[in-house]
Every structure is written in C-alpha cells, then in structure tokens.
Amino acid sequence: MSSSIKIPATPELHYLLRLSDTCLILGQRLGEWCGHAPILEEDIALSNMALDLIGQSRALLTLAGQRSGEGYDEDQLAFLRDEIDYRNPTLAELPRGDFAFTVLRNVILSTWLKLMWERLHDSSDAELAAIAGKALKEARYHQQHAADWAVRLGDGTDESRRRCEAALATLWLYTPELFEDDAVDAAATAAGLGPAWSQLREPWLAEISEILGEATLAIPGEAAFRSSGKRGLHSEHMGYLLVEMQYLQRSYPGGAW
Amino acid sequence: MYTQAMDTLRDEGGDKPALRTAEEAQLQQRFDNRIDAGDFIEAKDWMPENYRKTLLRQISQHAHSEIVGMLPEGNWITRAPTLKRKSILLAKVQDEGGHGLYLYAAAETLGTSRDQMLDALHTGKAKYSSIFNYPTLTWADVGAIGWLVDGAAIMNQVPICRCSFAPYARAMVRICREESFHQRQGFDSLLVMVKQGTDAQRAMVQEAVNRWWWPCLMMFGPPDDQSPNSAQGMRWGIKRVSNDTLRQKFVDAAVQQAEVLGVTFPDPDLRWNEESQHWDYGAIDWSEFWRVVGGDGPCNRERLAARVKAWEDGEWVREAALAHARKSDLKEAA
Amino acid sequence: MTTNTEWPLWEVFVRTKAGLDHKHCGSLHAADPKMAVQMARDVYTRRQEGSSVWVVRSDQIVASDPSDKDMYFDPAEDKVYRHPTFYKLPGSVDHM
C-alpha cells in the first residue's frame, strides 16, 4: 500500500493529471497560510480558496483514477505517486513566499484556471464538463479576490509595491510553461477533451494585463528559462512538499484513515 | 474553551465598586435587577466597570484561545493522510479562526479594539487556554483534540450561550452551532483508525489519548474551592456551571465513548462509583497546570512566537491596504 | 477606540435566501468596501447561510440611546387595538 503506484502513459490521463495536480499543489500551498495570514479575515479567505482547490483536485483525481484503467482512487493518486508522476506546472509548487507572492501567484493561476474551466465546460467528457461547471464559479471568485489584493498591494505603499515587483519577477519566469503544447495537448484537442494550453495564452494575457495595469505593475519581460513540472521534472521544492504531504500514507502501510 | 482564564487571574475586587453618586447606585440597582431577572445586557447599556472588565478579559482570552488553538492542529494540515481528512481539518481550523473573529468582535463592543487585544496577547499580558501549549506529535493527536479537547470545550461553551452579555451569548450560539461537527470528526477519525486500521495505528491512537487525557481535565480550571471568581461569574451568567461539575460530566461522557473506541485512559484510579453514580478519577497534577499557565508548558514560547511572527509579517500588508484605501478615497473625492 | 493603523470595523447583514430580509449577523475588519463584502462572504456564509450580503461601516450606524428605551418603546405597549387578536369576531368570519 505504501509503495508507489505507476501511471499509464496515456495522454488523456496526463491531461487530467496536469490539471488535478495544479489544483492540489496550489491548494496545499494555500493551506499553509491557515493560522499565519496577515489578518484573521484573510486566514479564512485563503482557507476557503484552498478548500475549493482541494475539492477540485479530488473530483479530477477520482475521474483520472476511473480513466486510468487501474482502479486508482483519489488518495492513491495523491499520496502514492512519485514526484516524476506529478504533472503540475512548476509555478504551483513554489514555496508560498510572502503575501505578495501568494497573491500574485493566485492572480496568475486563478485567471489561468478560470479560462481553462470555461473551455472544459464544453468538453466531450461529460464528467469533466460537470466538474468544470462547478469549478468555474469558484475560480471566478478566486480571481476577483486575488486581483483586488494585487491592486491594493501594487498601488499601496512603497514596500508593498517593491514586494509585488520582486514576486512578479520570479513568478513570471514560470508562466511560459502554462502555454506550451506537446503531445498531451494534441491528443486532448483531437479527442475534444479540452483545449491545448497554448490556446489560453491570449485571453490570459489580456486579463492579466488589465489586472496588473490597475495595480500599476509592469509586466516583466520574457526570459529564456523554462520550467518543466508538467512533464514530471520539478523544482527542488517539490520533493519536500511531497515528503510532507505523503508522509502518513507512506509510514503506515495498509492504514485506514 | 476556554473560560479557565477567569480562574487564572487575580480577583479584581468582586462586585463592590465604590459608588460615588446616588445616580450610580440607582444604575447599579437597575443593572442587578436585570441580571437577576435573566435579562440580556447589550454593549451600550450601563454596566458596572467590573462587569465590563471581567467580560472583556474573558471574551478576549476566549478569542485568543481560538486563534492560538489554530496552531497545534494547523500543524497537520499539510500532512493530513487523505484528501478528505485534509479538507475536514482545514475547514475545522478555519472555523476556529472564524470563532476567534466572532469573539473579538463581541469584545470590541465593550470599547477595546482588536489590535489592542492582540497587543495584549503578543506581549504576554493576556492568557489563552493552557491546552494549546501541548504539542501535536502524531496524526492521532488531531483526532484526540477533536474528541477530547473539543468535547471539553463544547461542554464548557454551551452554557455560555445563555450568558448575560448579549454580544457574547450571540457569538457563542453561532460558535456552538458551527462546532458541533468538530468533536464528531475527531471521534470519527479515531474510530476509523482503531476499527479498520493497523496495529501501528491503534498504538498511535492510544498513545495520543494517553497524552491528552490529563491536560483535558485541567481545561475545566482549578477545583471549585480554589476558583475565587466563580461566584461572581455565576451571578453574571458568564459562568453557569462550576468547574468540578463540568469536569465530572466530561469524565462520565468520555469513559463511555472510550469504550466504543476501545481505548483506555491513563488513570489507575478511574472507577465507577455506585453511590454517586459517577466515575471517580485520580488526583490531577495541578502543579503542571500552573506551570503551563505560567508560561512554561511544552509549547508556550513557540505558540506565542508563531502568532507574533504572523502579525509582524503581515504588518506591511495591512498598511498597504489602508494606504490604498486612502488613495481611493481621495480619488473619489476629487 | 481604534488605532490609526487598524482596519475599520464593518457590520455584516446576510440574506439567507431569496425573499427574506437581510439580518445582522456579525462584524469584521476590512480596509475598503469591496474587501468588506468579500470578507463577509468568506467569514459569514461558509455553510450556505447566504444568498446576499450587505456591509456598512460600524461608525456609520446611528442607534437609539439605551437610556431612551422607556420613552421610545414602552408607549407602544398599551396600543392593543393595533393587533388583529384584539377583535373578537363570530366564528364564521374569524378568518378575516
């Protein structure tokens, strides 16, 4: 039970896992704020967001388990996959950083997820479409909450602006991965499962530009750096995140929780 | 839970304010009549200074207990063993933040800001429940806290829903309603481990129960004969049932529940008393209680440091939000 | 008593479902109106308690003075003729 499971290399499955893992890993990071946020009200707000994301990941992992042909459940997929079988883009796993980092990552990813859910609502997979319909409402609120915070911090004090600029400079390096296609995308579009990630780039950039514009923050230039989490090659942070997250399932083989 | 605070601070003079004027005497009389008639007191109503002070102290310490109480369990959010348990735990710890928030708001009606109350917490002037100065060492601690700590808390909190100070009573009604799932999820988590789990899990559950049992009994505060503020608290309806009575009620309920779980409590003197129709329990080590309340429990320093760090790390955020709001106001006015 | 770095206090009113009144349910701190609405949603509607929220700055509320309670509210006490039960009608038309 505690040994790792293996994931079949079907593109449709990987397409689902890239999305489920984005939600789960971002949810895991946001959950770290509970008890440590800048003000009590925000502890509650960030926890709500984390709960939504974990809920989305559960629905997607359950679906992925069914589609895997291996009968995996959500917890086997979450807790018994090795790092290389985790398929979230690297951006989601970066440490939570300061509040500016968390807010701006939420701006980037909630906007991306919102656009993704909008398109998945028309998926040929009826179950995926249903998950998207519910998740879309949640992502719209996440985007609004994050965007409003970005405006407050970008156009707040000198310190908050400086922190936003520093956070954005780092985060931006990891955004190209959100829009790069490969064979997984090709298979997903061919099957009508969902959009190629590259299709999200233009609408995403339009919405992000508007939000950052209102926050009086400049969009950083593009670097040659490329992250590769969605192909299973993560940052060094991912190992620690998974060790922590998977520890109980790995230490108590055959346990019931 | 958290009302032990009123036992752990010195008596501030009971109900014997030096009345200066006939008018004040009349107000005091009217207030006493309302209390005796079981009326609610609202924040803007006249109240004796000692009532205000006592309530402020108790409600703010109750609030502090909720937010410090987020830490021991929050410690396990990233490590919860399944996604369902992760969601439950996150929702529960989040609820505790909400409860802290409701209670701060209730205390704020008495004329002290939340920032002032937090300052008292951060500088060590204000206390919170001793229970949160114990560490959560295993996952079973999360279940044990839900079952025993929340169980003790609910027992203590339900009577406060009828407290004479209406903002406190209203907050408690909301809190008790929300908290009804907290104890159940803890018991459920332990039950699954002992009934469907492995020997290693059962050992983990028993070990956690061993560590939490005595600190939970201490949560009800010192024995009645050493609880100087109780009589006053009873009259004001801030406290409705005595420490020892609640403690006994808790023990009686917990013993039955432990049987269902198949766990034992670390007390060789625990036995049924046919005569009193209650479970007798052994002597509580009150020196440990006073040591933890006094700041030398296993985690006092870590808990406070974590709260202070969150507050200080968040300072620039709070400032920025205010600065932005002022800019927006100016723009609107222009 | 509010320090000048503390976010203002807001009162929160929640409509539990369409057709009902908004009801006061608590308060919270927020830096601006939009944040106050969002925080109200996050803090006070976690268990499907709401379909709409209102927030208002606590310092904008004008309240009656508790010491005026007698003269404000007691005079309504003897106006029993304002209530339908005051009128005893024959059983055949008592549904009126």
Side-chain angles (χ1 to χ4, degrees):
Chain A
M1 176 72 184
S2 64
S3 56
S4 301
I5 57 170
K6 288 292 160 219
I7 300 301
T10 53
E12 289 84 358
L13 181 60
H14 281 200
Y15 189 82
L16 290 176
L17 290 175
R18 285 176 176 182
L19 194 56
S20 66
D21 295 349
T22 304
C23 298
L24 176 56
I25 300 302
L26 183 61
Q28 173 84 355
R29 285 300 188 205
L30 290 179
E32 293 175 13
W33 280 100
C34 186
H36 308 276
I39 191 158
L40 202 42
E41 283 79 354
E42 191 63 24
D43 281 89
I44 295 169
L46 287 172
S47 299
N48 272 344
M49 224 173 283
L51 284 169
D52 287 342
L53 286 161
I54 293 166
Q56 292 161 10
S57 78
R58 291 178 68 184
L60 288 168
L61 286 172
T62 300
L63 184 63
Q66 289 161 4
R67 300 283 185 271
S68 72
E70 304 281 341
Y72 295 139
D73 64 24
E74 60 180 42
D75 290 320
Q76 286 173 300
L77 285 169
F79 296 97
L80 299 179
R81 261 185 301 159
D82 285 337
E83 181 175 329
I84 197 157
D85 285 328
Y86 256 89
R87 296 292 162 151
N88 56 286
T90 306
L91 184 66
E93 78 211 28
L94 299 176
R96 67 182 159 110
D98 65 8
F99 190 67
F101 193 90
T102 283
V103 161
L104 287 163
R105 172 164 56 189
N106 284 349
V107 167
I108 290 169
L109 281 179
S110 63
T111 302
W112 185 86
L113 282 167
K114 186 193 82 170
L115 295 165
M116 178 61 94
W117 296 127
E118 280 172 0
R119 282 153 185 77
L120 291 177
H121 203 20
D122 301 323
S123 172
S124 60
D125 185 320
E127 284 184 58
L128 180 58
I131 293 169
K134 178 173 178 298
L136 176 58
K137 297 179 201 165
E138 296 167 344
R140 284 175 55 212
Y141 182 76
H142 300 174
Q143 186 196 31
Q144 187 189 89
H145 187 83
D148 288 346
W149 261 118
V151 173
R152 289 183 197 107
L153 298 181
D155 187 24
T157 61
D158 289 345
E159 179 176 8
S160 68
R161 181 182 185 78
R162 180 177 59 69
R163 285 175 182 269
C164 284
E165 286 166 349
L168 204 52
T170 302
L171 288 163
W172 206 257
L173 294 171
Y174 295 86
T175 55
E177 191 187 353
L178 301 175
F179 308 106
E180 281 168 352
D181 289 347
D182 58 17
V184 169
D185 298 272
T189 42
L193 188 60
W197 284 21
S198 63
Q199 291 169 18
L200 302 180
R201 188 167 196 284
E202 215 172 292
W204 177 84
L205 196 58
E207 292 193 21
I208 291 290
S209 303
E210 198 183 321
I211 295 166
L212 295 184
E214 207 190 326
T216 69
L217 293 167
I219 291 183
E222 196 171 321
F225 172 81
R226 286 293 179 275
S227 56
S228 51
K230 69 175 175 180
R231 286 184 283 119
L233 302 173
H234 292 273
S235 69
E236 290 180 345
H237 307 292
M238 188 67 172
Y240 293 97
L241 183 149
L242 289 181
V243 162
E244 196 172 332
M245 191 170 89
Q246 298 185 338
Y247 141 74
L248 281 165
Q249 287 275 359
R250 303 283 187 165
S251 313
Y252 289 85
W257 309 97
Chain B
M1 158 91 199
Y2 312 140
T3 50
Q4 66 179 210
M6 73 181 295
D7 296 313
T8 57
L9 284 163
R10 68 194 183 286
D11 185 3
E12 287 189 355
D15 199 13
K16 47 175 176 50
L19 296 175
R20 281 178 297 272
T21 64
E23 193 194 358
E24 269 187 43
Q26 199 187 4
L27 287 168
Q28 174 80 43
Q29 187 56 50
R30 201 181 300 164
F31 174 86
D32 289 344
N33 291 345
R34 290 180 63 191
I35 292 279
D36 294 340
D39 274 2
F40 282 114
I41 307 297
E42 291 289 345
K44 291 199 160 68
D45 293 345
W46 185 90
M47 62 185 79
E49 205 38 46
N50 199 34
Y51 179 83
R52 179 186 302 275
K53 259 163 77 179
T54 305
L55 273 163
L56 180 62
R57 189 175 67 194
Q58 177 166 331
I59 302 169
S60 65
Q61 291 177 359
H62 195 159
H64 298 328
S65 297
E66 295 283 356
I67 62 162
V68 175
M70 296 170 80
L71 299 171
E73 288 177 280
N75 185 27
W76 283 89
I77 291 171
T78 56
R79 290 180 289 174
T82 66
L83 296 181
K84 183 181 94 176
R85 292 287 171 203
K86 190 188 286 292
S87 305
I88 292 170
L89 180 59
L90 187 50
K92 183 194 178 226
V93 178
Q94 180 199 40
D95 270 355
E96 283 157 12
H99 299 169
L101 195 155
Y102 309 154
L103 288 163
Y104 283 126
E108 279 175 282
T109 63
L110 290 165
T112 302
S113 73
R114 192 199 293 177
D115 277 10
Q116 289 173 313
M117 290 183 258
L118 288 176
D119 187 62
L121 174 68
H122 297 156
T123 53
K125 276 185 235 142
K127 298 252 185 285
Y128 54 86
S129 178
S130 58
I131 196 77
F132 301 119
N133 290 315
Y134 290 88
T136 47
L137 302 178
T138 71
W139 169 252
D141 288 25
V142 171
I145 288 178
W147 171 36
L148 296 172
V149 175
D150 291 326
I154 290 165
M155 218 158 254
N156 212 341
Q157 288 177 166
V158 166
I160 308 176
C161 294
R162 294 176 290 124
C163 149
S164 63
F165 185 55
Y168 192 23
R170 285 193 289 266
M172 288 316 303
V173 168
R174 193 174 188 93
I175 289 170
C176 288
R177 197 170 55 216
E178 294 188 355
E179 232 170 43
S180 52
F181 99 84
H182 292 187
Q183 188 185 18
R184 294 172 69 91
Q185 65 81 32
F187 193 84
D188 174 67
S189 161
L190 298 180
L191 194 62
V192 169
M193 284 193 273
V194 296
K195 296 297 179 199
Q196 299 162 39
T198 62
D199 287 344
Q201 285 185 297
R202 275 183 282 278
M204 174 165 65
V205 170
Q206 181 62 58
E207 190 274 335
V209 170
N210 289 348
R211 273 183 292 111
W212 287 96
W213 176 248
W214 290 109
C216 278
L217 293 192
M218 295 176 201
M219 281 175 72
F220 294 93
D224 292 347
D225 54 7
Q226 294 164 41
S227 181
N229 291 325
S230 284
Q232 183 65 77
M234 295 266 190
R235 178 166 159 80
W236 286 339
I238 301 169
K239 188 168 189 139
R240 293 260 179 200
V241 188
S242 85
N243 293 354
D244 286 331
T245 307
L246 282 174
R247 189 166 15 243
Q248 185 65 58
K249 200 174 158 202
F250 172 75
V251 171
D252 290 346
V255 168
Q256 278 193 347
Q257 293 156 354
E259 269 171 36
V260 176
L261 275 181
V263 297
T264 57
F265 293 127
D267 179 359
D269 297 325
L270 191 65
R271 63 174 59 87
W272 178 248
N273 184 327
E274 196 55 49
E275 196 183 321
S276 67
Q277 292 289 300
H278 288 294
W279 286 85
D280 289 342
Y281 49 91
I284 295 171
D285 178 4
W286 290 109
S287 67
E288 173 178 325
F289 173 75
W290 291 112
R291 188 169 72 240
V292 177
V293 167
D296 286 315
C299 297
N300 295 56
R301 288 167 184 82
E302 283 100 324
R303 297 288 182 249
L304 201 53
R307 284 312 316 160
V308 170
K309 183 176 188 317
W311 187 247
E312 288 177 351
D313 286 352
E315 191 177 357
W316 68 269
V317 178
R318 297 188 301 274
E319 273 175 15
L322 267 190
H324 179 76
R326 288 193 192 112
K327 281 186 208 179
S328 303
D329 285 349
L330 283 179
K331 250 182 242 166
E332 223 164 85
Chain C
M1 216 186 307
T2 303
T3 53
N4 59 357
T5 56
E6 184 160 14
W7 290 356
L9 195 64
W10 303 72
E11 299 304 319
V12 178
F13 300 81
V14 173
R15 163 181 285 159
T16 49
K17 58 181 186 201
L20 298 183
D21 294 333
H22 284 79
K23 197 169 160 241
H24 183 248
C25 71
S27 40
L28 51 77
H29 287 275
D32 57 60
K34 209 169 170 195
M35 188 197 282
V37 170
Q38 289 181 11
M39 296 302 198
R41 176 262 190 198
D42 280 316
V43 172
Y44 287 103
T45 68
R46 299 199 300 287
R47 287 174 170 78
Q48 298 178 293
E49 295 96 331
S51 63
S52 162
V53 290
W54 286 350
V55 294
V56 60
R57 283 273 298 252
S58 305
D59 57 15
Q60 295 293 308
I61 298 228
V62 182
S64 61
D65 187 332
S67 64
D68 290 341
K69 182 165 164 278
D70 295 359
M71 71 167 177
Y72 268 51
F73 305 110
D74 287 357
E77 204 176 333
D78 63 353
K79 313 293 191 293
V80 285
Y81 43 80
R82 289 187 185 277
H83 300 279
T85 47
F86 178 70
Y87 304 92
K88 302 292 171 237
L89 299 185
S92 55
V93 292
D94 203 22
H95 57 274
M96 171 182 300

